[in-house]
Amino acid sequence: MGALVGLLFGIGVLLAWQSGPRRRPRLRNRPSITNRTQERLTRAGIEAVRPGQLYLLSGTCATVAFIASIAVSGSPTIAAAFAIFAAAAPTTVVRYRERRRTTELRELWPEVVDNIASAVRAGLSLPEAVAEVGVRGPEALRRPFERFAVDYRASGRFVECLDRLKVALSDPVGDRIVESLRVAREVGGTDLGRLLRTLSAFLREDARTRAELETRQGWTVNGARLALAAPWVMLGLLALNRQAAAAYNSAAGAVILMIGGGVSFAAYRLMIRIGRLPQERRVLR
């Protein structure tokens, strides 16, 4: 009898627990590594290179650096350390071009909005005004809007063409502009000019504020890069002497290199995080 009561009690507790509130699992819609790399290449203005080609280039650089380093120093551990730096070089170049191009485009987005607003005031429809940016807009941004014009003339579907334009731009500010145009198209009304003027003023103020902050932040970033590069430049000079480089062929030498690499990486990331400005994310994908 006691076992039956215990069994019924356990079943009751189990049913009560299963019928209770549940936290809904969060759906992760994060893009894959390949998609993030493709977006980074697009924002950097490197359209002819695909993520697979970038990964292959990184592997090639690592292999060449390893062979060259081991030929000079005769130390596999030192060669492996410099091969890691060489593998990261293509991605570092892409990131640098991405940051530089993002800074340049930040000054051009208000001009894009002004061109659309001027075209609308001149009597053009909204799709025609967007397509006009490919003709009269800033030179650095004409190509995606030229593709939009071709797509719209071929299909006549404004919303789908906006989606392809958003992918071609791959920029947080571009996402905001595209979504504003989408809302203006779907809702309609006479407030389109006011919307575009407000958006243009907001983008100009944001660009001015970010430019001032990035100027003040520059010394922190440069200091972090110098602190990371200095010890490895000294190691490279030391590797020219084979007798000195042979000390790193032992297990203790390998451990010292791994510890030094970990400390350099952690210190660099810490300094970058301290001086980093909030980055805009593509929340309107």
Side-chain angles (χ1 to χ4, degrees):
M1 187 65 182
L4 180 60
V5 172
L7 179 61
L8 293 176
F9 177 77
I11 294 174
V13 172
L14 178 62
L15 293 176
W17 178 77
Q18 289 185 345
S19 63
R22 287 285 186 276
R23 178 182 297 177
R24 295 183 178 180
R26 292 181 300 177
L27 298 177
R28 296 185 177 180
N29 195 23
R30 297 183 61 184
S32 63
I33 296 177
T34 303
N35 291 337
R36 291 200 298 269
T37 304
Q38 183 61 57
E39 288 184 4
R40 183 169 289 119
L41 289 169
T42 303
R43 288 196 295 267
I46 308 174
E47 299 181 358
V49 179
R50 295 292 177 261
Q53 296 172 331
L54 181 65
Y55 302 148
L56 180 61
L57 179 60
S58 297
T60 303
C61 291
T63 303
V64 172
F66 182 82
I67 295 174
S69 298
I70 203 170
V72 173
S73 65
S75 173
T77 53
I78 294 179
F82 284 103
I84 294 174
F85 284 106
T91 303
T92 302
V93 173
V94 171
R95 288 178 180 272
Y96 169 74
R97 291 193 57 174
E98 177 191 1
R99 289 193 300 269
R100 187 179 65 178
R101 190 168 184 269
T102 300
T103 303
E104 293 175 355
L105 294 184
R106 194 181 299 141
E107 304 294 333
L108 301 178
W109 286 119
E111 185 177 347
V112 170
V113 178
D114 291 341
N115 282 329
I116 297 175
S118 299
V120 170
R121 285 197 301 268
L124 296 180
S125 65
L126 186 56
E128 293 174 344
V130 177
E132 193 70 15
V133 178
V135 179
R136 303 182 183 276
E139 185 69 29
L141 287 170
R142 286 186 181 181
R143 190 167 183 179
F145 288 92
E146 289 175 354
R147 294 175 182 171
F148 169 85
V150 173
D151 290 342
Y152 184 74
R153 283 196 297 267
S155 64
R157 299 175 180 176
F158 183 65
V159 175
E160 295 180 5
C161 294
L162 280 181
D163 292 336
R164 286 191 286 270
L165 176 63
K166 185 192 295 188
V167 174
L169 294 173
S170 294
D171 189 272
V173 180
D175 291 346
R176 277 186 281 172
I177 294 176
V178 168
E179 293 302 325
S180 299
L181 296 175
R182 189 195 309 274
V183 172
R185 174 73 170 185
E186 294 178 354
V187 176
T190 59
D191 292 334
L192 177 58
R194 184 185 306 172
L195 170 66
L196 295 175
R197 288 193 298 270
T198 303
L199 181 60
S200 176
F202 172 78
L203 292 177
R204 281 192 169 87
E205 183 64 26
D206 181 70
R208 183 164 51 250
T209 303
R210 279 190 169 270
E212 295 176 358
L213 294 176
E214 287 177 353
T215 301
R216 299 179 183 180
Q217 179 209 29
W219 68 272
T220 303
V221 176
N222 293 332
R225 292 170 181 165
L226 180 61
L228 174 67
W232 298 100
V233 171
M234 295 300 298
L235 179 64
L237 295 176
L238 185 64
L240 297 177
N241 187 343
R242 282 181 170 263
Q243 294 180 352
Y248 292 95
N249 291 333
S250 61
V255 170
I256 290 175
L257 282 180
M258 287 190 293
I259 293 175
V263 171
S264 298
F265 179 77
Y268 175 75
R269 294 299 301 174
L270 179 61
M271 291 189 67
I272 291 297
R273 187 175 183 84
I274 292 174
R276 183 177 59 186
L277 295 175
Q279 297 295 326
E280 291 182 298
R281 297 183 178 182
R282 297 190 63 197
V283 297
L284 300 174
R285 292 178 182 275

